[in-house]
Amino acid sequence: MMDSLNQGVRSTANPFKVLIAGGCYSGLAAAINLLDKCDSALDARIPVSITIVDERSGFFHVIGSPLALSSKEYADKCWVDFADVKLLQRPDVRFVHGRVQKVDPATRTATYQESSSDKQPTEEKYDYFIAATGLRRAWPVVPQSLTRKTYLREAGQHIDAVRGSRHPVLVVGGGAVGIEMAAELKMVAPDVRVTLAHSRDKLLSAEPLPDDVKDRALELVREAGVETLMNHRLLSSLPLKPEGADSGFEVEFTNGHKMTASVVIEAISRSVPSTDYLPAAALDTDTGLVNIRPTMQIQLSEESELLPNADRHFAVGDLIHWSGIKRCGAAMHEGRFAGLNIHQLMLQELSSFSSSEKKHEPVFQELAEIPPMIGLAVGKMGLSYGPDEGMKSGEDVLKLFFGDDLGFKSESPFPFPPFQPSSDMDGI
């Protein structure tokens, strides 16, 4: 149900205000698709003002993270400052380098703190809010830096350490990130010994995937030249003494096996939802993820008065409580739906002030249940699985899912083509 706050004739002086927390895949996909719809309105362009708040000063291509932490050349292009995202350099889009601290759905007010300012936090009114801050992932799953300059230094130090190793580089964790990180490093630096250790007897053990997919992943890792240690749970990794030329780590596993490693990369998921700025009534009590409806709108709690204006609040990407494996392709798909559905609500509001007797009834895009599916880049080979097409692997699969540069597509006006409006975005 719409309230009267800020409603009235919309114009450039009184645009729809949309605040997006998070400027990665889902947040940017929401903004781009919403702008596309507002720009192409049949009668007149719908005036909108979008503010995107993100802790980073730019977009980091998370899909390319394993290669970005193996290759300085790739790392250099894997981060794009928001000021260089040409598709969103327009007067009605503003980027804020900072962190959303609180959202008050009742007053439709968000409070955020800018990173480069010691001023008091800023309060900003909005008509629609999109939570797209994802999960907090540990290093080296993603860089922890918040600016391009510090990111390049962080990635460069890591690359120097692994490329100059005298002992094997140990990657701990046989999930998607560990698999890709070990394989990319071996591909970029074939002279470096790379060992992947996993605590279970099959890779991808935490994912609801068929055993043949997990077995094929192990075969591809070994074919890439990576040594594997299955059923090896890390117990400790202690720095060697003396330090210097012989620096490294003495590693011990719970089964008693010991080894020396120059670098230990823990690619074990310790992801935490970045949702602390949202009301508790919007969150799943067990996971901290945001409860949503298929329209991407925040799910009404049983006591709806605890979450006023829920229809105007959306959540997309990795922070939502929904089925399926967390994937960047799914995040973009959800962001697109949020953008399209907010546009429908805008049309409804505009028609309510129209002299026409025919009022707009929103036609929402709804997110279906997402079955387990995955796409992996394992060095020069790709591996994919979906419930309809089953498992596929090979160089052609890598090309289909990731192109020539892990999906970055640097020749695009925006560094990731699925951000283009109206894309299906069902891939990676």
Side-chain angles (χ1 to χ4, degrees), residues 148-228:
R148 176 178 168 81
K149 181 178 180 180
T150 55
Y151 149 72
L152 289 175
R153 182 166 62 245
E154 180 185 23
Q157 291 172 347
H158 176 81
I159 293 168
D160 288 341
V162 297
R163 297 287 290 271
S165 61
R166 300 180 64 227
H167 307 292
V169 172
L170 175 64
V171 180
V172 180
V177 173
I179 290 170
E180 293 185 333
M181 193 164 287
E184 295 298 333
L185 175 58
K186 189 64 181 178
M187 181 181 69
V188 173
D191 294 336
V192 173
R193 287 185 61 193
V194 181
T195 300
L196 176 65
H198 189 54
S199 60
R200 305 296 181 87
D201 61 348
K202 292 185 183 294
L203 299 180
L204 301 169
S205 55
E207 306 295 359
L209 297 166
D211 283 348
D212 63 335
V213 177
K214 300 176 181 182
D215 293 339
R216 183 58 180 147
L218 179 59
E219 291 173 357
L220 290 177
V221 167
R222 289 172 172 169
E223 290 172 10
V226 176
E227 301 172 30
T228 57

Side-chain angles (χ1 to χ4, degrees), residues 2 65 89 102 118 125 129 146 185 200 223 234 238 254 270 336 342-343 348 359 364 376 410 420:
M2 292 187 295
S65 185
Q89 299 310 301
K102 181 182 178 182
D118 56 2
K125 296 282 189 179
F129 179 83
L146 302 180
L185 175 58
R200 305 296 181 87
E223 290 172 10
L234 182 66
L238 302 175
T254 55
R270 295 190 181 94
R336 174 175 177 254
I342 288 175
H343 174 254
Q348 181 186 38
K359 305 305 179 185
F364 291 128
L376 284 177
S410 55
Q420 298 300 322

Side-chain angles (χ1 to χ4, degrees), residues 131-424:
T133 43
L135 305 175
R136 294 192 179 279
R137 294 180 169 91
W139 168 265
V141 177
V142 294
Q144 302 301 292
S145 301
L146 302 180
T147 66
R148 176 178 168 81
K149 181 178 180 180
T150 55
Y151 149 72
L152 289 175
R153 182 166 62 245
E154 180 185 23
Q157 291 172 347
H158 176 81
I159 293 168
D160 288 341
V162 297
R163 297 287 290 271
S165 61
R166 300 180 64 227
H167 307 292
V169 172
L170 175 64
V171 180
V172 180
V177 173
I179 290 170
E180 293 185 333
M181 193 164 287
E184 295 298 333
L185 175 58
K186 189 64 181 178
M187 181 181 69
V188 173
D191 294 336
V192 173
R193 287 185 61 193
V194 181
T195 300
L196 176 65
H198 189 54
S199 60
R200 305 296 181 87
D201 61 348
K202 292 185 183 294
L203 299 180
L204 301 169
S205 55
E207 306 295 359
L209 297 166
D211 283 348
D212 63 335
V213 177
K214 300 176 181 182
D215 293 339
R216 183 58 180 147
L218 179 59
E219 291 173 357
L220 290 177
V221 167
R222 289 172 172 169
E223 290 172 10
V226 176
E227 301 172 30
T228 57
L229 296 173
M230 307 303 294
N231 292 305
H232 277 62
R233 183 181 297 277
L234 182 66
L235 176 63
S236 63
S237 61
L238 302 175
L240 287 174
K241 295 181 180 179
E243 299 179 356
D246 293 324
S247 64
F249 298 86
E250 183 64 34
V251 178
E252 184 175 359
F253 300 92
T254 55
N255 61 7
H257 179 224
K258 296 181 180 181
M259 66 176 290
T260 300
S262 287
V263 179
V264 177
I265 302 172
E266 294 195 38
I268 301 171
S269 177
R270 295 190 181 94
S271 302
V272 178
S274 180
T275 56
D276 57 343
Y277 55 89
L278 292 170
L283 307 180
D284 177 74
T285 54
D286 294 329
T287 64
L289 299 170
V290 185
N291 291 318
I292 63 161
R293 290 168 267 174
T295 56
M296 314 311 303
Q297 292 163 302
I298 290 181
Q299 177 68 52
L300 288 168
S301 63
E302 293 181 2
E303 300 179 52
S304 58
E305 67 271 14
L306 294 179
L307 198 63
N309 294 314
D311 288 354
R312 291 175 173 268
H313 292 77
F314 293 71
V316 294
D318 286 353
L319 55 65
I320 64 172
H321 188 226
W322 201 259
S323 58
I325 298 171
K326 302 295 185 185
R327 298 176 300 115
C328 296
M332 288 182 284
H333 190 68
E334 294 149 11
R336 174 175 177 254
F337 276 12
L340 298 181
N341 290 344
I342 288 175
H343 174 254
Q344 287 293 308
L345 291 174
M346 290 177 172
L347 292 178
Q348 181 186 38
E349 179 180 324
L350 292 172
S351 72
S352 69
F353 289 92
S354 171
S355 58
S356 172
E357 294 183 0
K358 186 177 182 180
K359 305 305 179 185
H360 180 78
E361 291 295 328
V363 179
F364 291 128
Q365 301 290 324
E366 295 196 353
L367 185 66
E369 291 297 312
I370 302 175
M373 59 181 72
I374 198 168
L376 284 177
V378 190
K380 297 180 180 180
M381 304 287 279
L383 172 65
S384 69
Y385 170 78
D388 296 328
E389 65 275 11
M391 180 184 67
K392 297 180 181 178
S393 64
E395 294 181 6
D396 57 330
V397 175
L398 181 70
K399 181 77 173 180
L400 175 64
F401 276 79
F402 300 94
D404 297 322
D405 54 4
L406 290 186
F408 191 85
K409 304 296 182 187
S410 55
E411 71 274 14
S412 168
F414 188 83
F416 204 72
F419 282 129
Q420 298 300 322
S422 301
S423 167
D424 287 336

